[in-house]
Amino acid sequence: MPIPNWTSLNGTDLLHALEQWTVEQGVSDIHTSPEKEDVRIEVRLHGMLEHLVTISNATYVDFVRRVKFLSKLKLNLTNVPQDGQYTFQAPDRMVNVRVASIPSRFGETYTLRLLDPVRGIVPLTQLGFPEEIHQALQELVKLPNGLILITGPTGSGKTTTLYALLNTVVGTQRNIITLEDPVEYELKGIVQSQVDTEHDYTFSSGLRSILRHDPNIILLGEIRDLETAQTAVDAALTGHLVLATLHTNSAIEAIPRLLSMGVSPYTFAPALRAILAQRLVRTLSDACRKPDAACDVADSKTYNGRMSLPELITVSPAIQSMILSSEPSQAILVQAKKEGYRTMREWGEILVKDRKTSQAEVDRVIA
């Protein structure tokens, strides 16, 4: 993976070379790690962190100066975290870069997240959902009202799935407004709004403001507190379709999470339409998909992309009644399985059988 002659570049040229190469390779993040003698640069490719190159401290000083200038960070501050962003020109598109720094023992550590519209704005058909779930999601986003939750840890593809869902209904005479922190990609035909905590424009206050603009569909970047959760539920009950993300490990965990926040089950149960939980698993290369292939599942070259590993709970009248009765999540899970629900692990077994990914990869993301 290391590119010859990178160590001969100055910091400015190195940044430019990294930008172009990472876009071509599909890298999502660039990480810098200053050490005593030099600086390690790593990249995240298909969700895995890989060492790319080691550069001198002198080159890194020049590199950081250029990053700070582009992202409008304060050049003289090195002992406090800073956040910024900038854009650069790829061969056929503009790519946004989110920059974050923290002070470390041997200097400032940087993470550059590449928000490439080609990889972030993907049609729903290309996310790799099983056909059964793909069809269910297409029907859910056509609903006139209700709450649809998408859960999973950071980096599990929640935002990409939300954007893909919204793109299926753009131009269908529906007013779509998002509230994000931050806005990651620009979507045509949609009003996008960004949280600004310094001016008290939070998820909860922003959501109340959005409701005064007569939206049909609301995308809520994250539910973090009771006020936001209850407002989202109330909006779903008053004629709006609300798509929101939540940090839980599985679909079923979203129900007790919101109830534990203090959301009323009497409003939550009739508002909830579905919960999608997902992870991203690396996909086997064409060569390694062959039945007689003897590929090393621990080798990154065995994989050439990523796809969604999902689980979807759609809320039936029986499940709605169980939520109203505050029945334990395990009982709700049993009912969901009776109705055809499969866990992520069960979907993973199907993907492994179809030679789309490896068992080791499924175990890695689910564990």
Side-chain angles (χ1 to χ4, degrees), residues 43-118:
V43 296
R44 191 171 296 280
L45 180 63
H46 306 322
M48 303 297 288
L49 196 65
E50 301 187 20
H51 179 262
L52 182 64
V53 67
T54 299
I55 62 175
S56 69
N57 285 315
T59 300
Y60 187 57
V61 169
D62 188 30
F63 177 91
V64 167
R65 188 181 297 116
R66 182 61 178 169
V67 169
K68 283 189 167 183
F69 172 77
L70 291 172
S71 53
K72 296 180 174 58
L73 303 185
K74 294 181 179 178
L75 297 172
N76 61 330
L77 284 184
T78 60
N79 60 347
V80 295
Q82 295 193 73
D83 297 294
Q85 65 176 13
Y86 71 94
T87 59
F88 68 86
Q89 180 69 56
D92 58 352
R93 60 194 181 276
M94 296 298 294
V95 176
N96 188 39
V97 182
R98 271 185 11 215
V99 178
S101 76
I102 55 171
S104 69
R105 184 180 179 189
F106 296 110
E108 290 179 284
T109 294
Y110 279 81
T111 295
L112 280 62
R113 169 152 290 185
L114 279 69
L115 301 174
D116 186 346
V118 166

Side-chain angles (χ1 to χ4, degrees), residues 86-319:
Y86 71 94
T87 59
F88 68 86
Q89 180 69 56
D92 58 352
R93 60 194 181 276
M94 296 298 294
V95 176
N96 188 39
V97 182
R98 271 185 11 215
V99 178
S101 76
I102 55 171
S104 69
R105 184 180 179 189
F106 296 110
E108 290 179 284
T109 294
Y110 279 81
T111 295
L112 280 62
R113 169 152 290 185
L114 279 69
L115 301 174
D116 186 346
V118 166
R119 302 187 186 280
I121 305 175
V122 182
L124 189 62
T125 53
Q126 294 181 16
L127 294 183
F129 286 115
E131 183 61 22
E132 175 184 319
I133 288 184
H134 175 248
Q135 291 296 332
L137 291 174
Q138 282 194 311
E139 293 305 313
L140 284 166
V141 80
K142 294 176 184 176
L143 293 173
N145 56 64
L147 175 65
I148 299 172
L149 296 172
I150 298 185
T151 79
T154 301
S156 59
K158 298 188 297 295
T159 300
T160 301
T161 297
L162 283 170
Y163 283 177
L165 286 170
L166 290 185
N167 265 334
T168 66
V169 290
V170 169
T172 57
Q173 298 180 317
R174 300 171 87 178
N175 184 18
I176 305 171
I177 304 179
T178 76
L179 181 58
E180 306 171 62
D181 184 21
V183 172
E184 295 192 0
Y185 302 98
E186 295 179 6
L187 296 174
K188 290 183 178 180
I190 291 173
V191 176
Q192 294 176 272
S193 184
Q194 182 164 307
V195 165
D196 183 357
T197 53
E198 290 185 6
H199 296 91
D200 197 32
Y201 189 60
T202 62
F203 278 117
S204 56
S205 64
L207 181 55
R208 291 195 302 272
S209 298
I210 285 173
L211 289 170
R212 292 193 285 271
H213 288 260
D214 189 30
N216 299 105
I217 302 176
I218 301 168
L219 185 156
L220 187 58
E222 187 179 347
I223 292 178
R224 297 177 179 172
D225 53 47
L226 171 59
E227 185 178 4
T228 306
Q230 191 63 61
T231 305
V233 167
D234 293 343
L237 287 173
T238 54
H240 308 87
L241 182 64
V242 181
L243 311 178
T245 73
L246 193 66
H247 286 283
T248 63
N249 289 322
S250 66
I252 197 67
E253 288 177 44
I255 295 172
R257 173 66 60 82
L258 283 179
L259 293 176
S260 68
M261 282 184 180
V263 174
S264 164
Y266 301 103
T267 54
F268 180 46
L272 186 63
R273 297 289 179 266
I275 308 167
L276 172 73
Q278 69 177 65
R279 301 287 190 279
L280 293 175
V281 290
R282 291 179 294 171
T283 52
L284 293 171
S285 65
D286 292 340
C288 291
R289 286 185 182 183
K290 297 176 181 177
D292 57 347
C295 296
D296 181 3
V297 295
D299 187 346
S300 62
K301 295 183 179 66
T302 297
Y303 307 93
N304 66 352
R306 290 196 290 176
M307 67 182 295
S308 297
L309 175 60
E311 56 183 32
L312 177 68
I313 293 177
T314 52
V315 179
S316 64
I319 291 176

